[in-house]
Amino acid sequence: MTPPEAPDTGIASAGDTPPAVSVCLKVLTRRRDFLAAARARKQGSKAMMVQARPRKPDEDVPADVIRVGFTCSKKVGNAVARNRAKRRLREIARLVLPIHGKPGWDYVLIGRAGETAKRDFIALQSDLKHALHNLHTPRP
């Protein structure tokens, strides 16, 4: 079933404008991708741990794609608490990664016990931005 077409009034509303950055986000699903990210760079913050790695050119993923994975251990809480933390991580990744992430990289966001679900949403976004900045800054 296809949704009905919106009438063309010639005026674009704020929700109709395309994103400023045309980047495609894909979700990591294979264990080996998570393990490869775990062996790469890490940056912790109060609410999450971010693991990041640049993909190799021989991998069969388009170079303009940012891949992201989410995980929370049982230390975060029961299934309800883990799912809530992952929902929040997914939303901040959707908002922040197209702007501050780099195409050709894989990111894994790991929730922290007691912090990811309770931290202010704006603070969560700034935590991710800060972690990405530190991960992409060249090391001496």
Side-chain angles (χ1 to χ4, degrees), residues 56-61:
K56 296 177 181 169
D58 61 345
E59 294 185 43
D60 60 346
V61 180

Side-chain angles (χ1 to χ4, degrees), residues 28-39 108:
L28 292 175
T29 55
R30 289 185 282 184
R31 184 173 191 268
R32 68 179 181 190
D33 295 330
F34 282 87
L35 293 176
R39 289 187 301 268
V108 175

